[in-house]
Structures are given as structure tokens and as C-alpha cells.
Amino acid sequence: MLVSGIEILNKAHREGYGVGAFNFVNFEMLNAIFMAADVAKSPIIVQASEGAIKYMGIDMAVGLVKILSNRYSHIPVALHLDHGTSFESCKKAVDAGFTSVMIDASHHPFKENLEMTKEVVAYAHSKGVSVEAELGRLMGIEDNISVDEKDAVLINPDEAEEFVKATQVDYLAPAIGTSHGAFKFKGEPKLDFERLQEVKVRTNIPLVLHGASAIPDYVREAFLATGGDLKGSKGVPFAFLQEAVKGGINKVNIDTDLRIAFIAEVRRVANSDNTQFDLRKFFTPAMEFVTKLMVERMGVLGSAGKI
Ligand code: G3H
Ligand code: 13P
Ligand code: ZN
């Protein structure tokens, strides 16, 4: 059943678990996400970036989600715009049937971010759609980062409190040291959990972890085994994801893990039979591998069994 983002996340916030927000760019990835939710009995957030919307067409993105949410009517699902860059982009998503949008104005000065978020909240809330915003910049905390630099990059808890009060945003993504993609940490993984807890206490709303892919060893190995290169890749360890959930993270954004797992299977099939050109022979095992990974992740985040 398609519901608003806040309906899913308020429950997660109350009960203290994390819900996976999984990116999709086509039917196969979306189907794998629904299959995993069905197996794990987990609520889900499915999200499309502006690039994904350009690739699929916004009508296709919404249409696919509506069809699958009808097919799996027992699964609460929210359709979220990931990293919306403008009011217009968020409005288009709201008007097309998204039930949650992110306005990502975190690279703008604080006041501008606040004003843009307010404008999106006013429109989205008038249509029953929830809103996410971001504070701070997504980048890794390197071991040698100075205290001043750290404060400039990561979320400021005072600003977070002021921002949430002023904008009435539904959930907030605090920068605490994660980054997008497969290369998150140069040295040992490190996140600012103290800062996270402070933000949770000061805002008391659901919080969002971007750049939350874990790149488990078996996924990296599967990619490497096909001749793929992921040298130096490092994700957020499961134990960190669980600590983040304990610290108040309720929406956990995952894209890179799904991409690597999917393509590892496509490459494996291609390598194993160079006469093969039936798309289904590539995509069926790819969907199965991604589903397995997501079922496991729903267990790690605590959303399994929550429906
Ligand atoms: O945070 C970004 C997501 O992984 C989506 O990436 O813009 O390449 O679709 P994309
Ligand atoms: P990953 O690159 O770690 O999967 O993060 C995805 C994300 O944050 C989407 O908004
Ligand atoms: Zn992100």
C-alpha cells in the first residue's frame, strides 16, 4: 500500500528501527526491493533520483510503484524523490504521485537552505506529502581532519534544532561522516555518533543516513570474481549501521550495494556463457542476489517483521 513517508518513519522513530530507502532505476531493481520486503515482512521506501526520473520518465517511475504496491498490498511503501535540487523538481514529483520528497539545498548557505525547505514543505504538506532536508555536507571524516573543518562539514546541532522548528520538515539528514558511492573511508570507518545523538535529542524527528551502503565482503567478492575492479572500496559496517539506528537514524539510504550486487550477477552470467543474449537469464539471478542482500539488510536495520 502506497503511504506517505512520515507514516512509515514515525512508526520507525517511535519503535527505534531503521527502514531501508532503496534506489531504483528500472523494473528489475524495484521488483527485487518488493520481493525482499515480502520475504522479510518489512516496510520499505523506494526512491528515485532526478537522474533516475530522467532515465525512466516520471510517469513510468510512479506507474511501476503503483502496480507493485497494488500487487504487494500488505507492504507499506513510500515513493520518495532522492536529492531533489529545486522547488520545481519537488513540485513535479508531488504532482506526479510521489508520497515523499527530499529538498537537498545543503550546499547552499544555512538561511537559503531553510527558506527553500520551507517553500517545499508548504507545498508538499498541502498535498499530504512528507519532506526530507539535509544539513551539513556528505563527506568522510578523515583521521587528520581538524576540529574546525569537522564543524564546517558535519551537521551543527544548534542549527538542526533551529532548522526543524522553522521549516517543520518531517525528517532530516544529518551529515555525520558518510559519503555516497563505493569509497567511503580512506582509513578505518569513522562516524560522529555523538553528534548524531545530540541532533536526535534536539530535533526529536526521524533522521536519515545517506551513503549507507555497507559493501559486505561477499558482495565485493562476487564483483571481483567476475573480473570487476573495486580496489579500495569501503562501506559502512553493519555494526555502524546498527549504532546509527540506535542513535536515531530511521531512514537508511542504499543504492551502491544494490548496483554492485546486480551487476556482479550480470557479469557472472556474461562470463559463464558468451553465447547468452536472453535478458531474463541475466536479470533473474541479478534480482535474486539483490533480494537476498536486502532481506539481510532489513534484518540488520530492524525493519524485518514490522508489518
Ligand atoms: O545519492 C545518490 C543516489 O545514489 C542516486 O544516484 O544520481 O546516480 O541516480 P544517481
Ligand atoms: P550509497 O551510495 O551509500 O548507496 O548511498 C545512497 C544514497 O545516499 C542515496 O541518497
Ligand atoms: Zn544520498
Side-chain angles (χ1 to χ4, degrees):
M1 191 189 9
L2 193 55
V3 300
S4 72
I6 196 62
E7 187 171 329
I8 289 177
L9 290 176
N10 262 346
K11 183 169 184 290
H13 168 68
R14 272 198 316 271
E15 297 179 23
Y17 59 89
V19 177
F22 302 107
N23 288 72
F24 70 100
V25 298
N26 61 7
F27 159 74
E28 282 76 15
M29 202 58 100
L30 191 65
N31 193 41
I33 302 168
F34 274 90
M35 290 196 299
D38 188 36
V39 172
K41 301 191 172 25
S42 168
I44 41 171
I45 296 172
V46 295
Q47 54 189 16
S49 66
E50 289 177 352
I53 288 172
K54 191 166 170 217
Y55 179 73
M56 287 180 276
I58 200 160
D59 52 346
M60 178 65 75
V62 174
L64 285 173
V65 172
K66 283 194 172 156
I67 289 168
L68 284 166
S69 62
N70 283 339
R71 185 184 294 172
Y72 294 97
S73 57
H74 59 293
I75 298 173
V77 53
L79 171 57
H80 176 78
L81 170 68
D82 191 24
H83 294 283
T85 52
S86 63
F87 173 80
E88 289 70 32
S89 176
C90 292
K91 181 176 183 299
K92 266 190 201 147
V94 169
D95 293 346
F98 280 60
T99 63
S100 174
V101 293
M102 175 187 190
I103 174 69
D104 182 2
S106 54
H107 47 288
H108 292 287
F110 178 75
K111 280 281 168 210
E112 259 174 67
N113 185 354
L114 190 148
E115 289 308 324
M116 279 173 81
T117 303
K118 253 182 165 173
E119 197 188 356
V120 172
V121 167
Y123 187 73
H125 282 184
S126 76
K127 308 280 179 187
V129 171
S130 323
V131 180
E132 171 184 337
E134 180 169 308
L135 278 178
R137 276 184 288 143
L138 283 188
M139 60 197 285
I141 318 171
E142 302 305 343
D143 288 338
N144 56 1
I145 197 168
S146 73
V147 174
D148 286 357
E149 280 170 329
K150 198 166 151 175
D151 280 337
V153 167
L154 303 183
I155 189 166
N156 172 327
D158 292 335
E159 285 187 353
E161 187 174 349
E162 181 189 342
F163 188 90
V164 168
K165 270 199 192 116
T167 59
Q168 294 296 302
V169 75
D170 299 287
Y171 21 102
L172 182 69
I176 56 162
T178 57
S179 60
H180 290 125
F183 306 91
K184 299 187 188 297
F185 308 101
K186 289 208 183 85
E188 282 306 301
K190 201 168 174 183
L191 296 181
D192 196 333
F193 290 114
E194 270 175 43
R195 197 176 288 256
L196 170 65
Q197 252 155 26
E198 179 69 15
V199 171
K200 188 71 173 188
V201 169
R202 304 279 284 273
T203 60
N204 196 29
I205 62 172
L207 299 178
V208 183
L209 190 66
H210 281 253
S213 277
I215 321 185
D217 288 344
Y218 72 90
V219 173
R220 183 184 299 96
E221 295 307 323
F223 195 80
L224 296 180
T226 67
D229 184 3
L230 271 177
K231 240 181 259 120
S233 60
K234 212 168 275 178
V236 182
F238 284 178
F240 277 39
L241 291 178
Q242 288 177 322
E243 198 167 338
V245 168
K246 263 197 212 132
I249 293 290
N250 304 109
K251 174 174 180 278
V252 182
N253 285 15
I254 298 166
D255 188 0
T256 297
D257 276 339
L258 314 185
R259 294 181 183 194
I260 297 173
F262 194 95
I263 295 302
E265 276 302 276
V266 170
R267 291 175 63 95
R268 185 186 60 74
V269 176
N271 289 347
S272 69
D273 179 0
N274 61 12
T275 67
Q276 187 55 255
F277 49 74
D278 180 342
L279 275 68
R280 294 163 295 188
K281 296 282 194 289
F282 294 84
F283 292 161
T284 304
M287 284 189 284
E288 283 166 6
F289 192 31
V290 173
T291 296
K292 184 181 139 203
L293 178 155
M294 277 186 278
V295 169
E296 175 187 55
R297 199 63 51 87
M298 290 162 181
V300 169
L301 301 178
S303 70
K306 292 293 182 180
I307 58 172

